[in-house]
Amino acid sequence: DDSAFLPKEMEPMEILLSTDSYSPFDRGSSLQVWMNVQSSVVALESSLTAMKCVNTANIATDVAFDVMSLAKFGLEVKDKGLPYGVSVLAKDLFQFHLERSMNNNSSQSSRTTEANFGRQEGSYSKTAINLVNNGQVLSKNIVELIEDGKKEDNI
């Protein structure tokens, strides 16, 4: 009986969605929908890789700005001396921890501090923490993108 014959290379979903009499030329509408779903998954995986690339580029930009900010601080320390750098860093760390403990409810004092000193206190500490976090995310994304590339090469 030819209707009981199913090729071994058929996937379980193909068997489930096949009509009662299997024909490689007339697969039925349910099976065609399944094939469309499978092809759309490939497109979605590609778009996820593209979004990961965009996210990685955005994080790389943040890392570059963080490095520039800390380099600017390094130049200030070089120009004004180590005691200046230590005092600015101590004040910055104190302000950073104070803001964290108050859950950033001190928006008025932040504005006053920024107006008086030209920058928000605690910003070097925030920049350093952001640099570490963004560096970790950046390295993770790069590893994932490399793995995605290897997967696509194997397909």
Side-chain angles (χ1 to χ4, degrees):
D1 183 21
D2 288 335
S3 64
F5 170 74
L6 290 173
K8 291 181 182 179
E9 62 272 355
M10 283 186 73
E11 294 181 15
M13 280 304 281
E14 286 184 60
I15 295 170
L16 182 66
L17 297 173
S18 294
T19 57
D20 289 338
S21 59
Y22 173 76
S23 168
F25 304 108
D26 180 30
R27 295 188 172 219
S29 60
S30 296
L31 190 54
Q32 187 60 44
V33 168
W34 174 245
M35 294 168 102
N36 289 342
V37 167
Q38 285 180 316
S39 62
S40 67
V41 166
V42 172
L44 286 172
E45 286 175 345
S46 298
S47 67
L48 286 175
T49 300
M51 288 305 298
K52 198 175 290 183
C53 288
V54 169
N55 184 24
T56 301
N58 184 36
I59 291 171
T61 303
D62 288 345
V63 166
F65 282 115
D66 291 342
V67 168
M68 288 173 36
S69 176
L70 293 176
K72 180 183 169 198
F73 174 65
L75 289 174
E76 285 180 27
V77 171
K78 181 184 175 201
D79 291 342
K80 297 180 181 179
L82 187 60
Y84 167 80
V86 170
S87 68
V88 167
L89 194 56
K91 185 174 162 184
D92 191 76
L93 285 168
F94 176 76
Q95 186 67 32
F96 175 76
H97 287 292
L98 180 65
E99 284 180 10
R100 283 185 100 187
S101 67
M102 295 175 62
N103 294 324
N104 294 324
N105 289 333
S106 61
S107 61
Q108 181 61 34
S109 66
S110 272
R111 275 190 238 121
T112 304
T113 304
E114 192 172 344
N116 292 338
F117 298 102
R119 67 171 192 82
Q120 187 176 3
E121 296 301 312
S123 64
Y124 293 128
S125 301
K126 290 176 190 171
T127 300
I129 289 172
N130 286 339
L131 181 61
V132 170
N133 291 338
N134 286 338
Q136 290 172 345
V137 172
L138 184 64
S139 64
K140 177 182 161 243
N141 281 0
I142 290 172
V143 167
E144 288 176 0
L145 286 169
I146 290 170
E147 289 175 359
D148 288 348
K150 287 179 182 178
K151 288 177 189 174
E152 288 179 14
D153 288 343
N154 290 334
I155 291 179

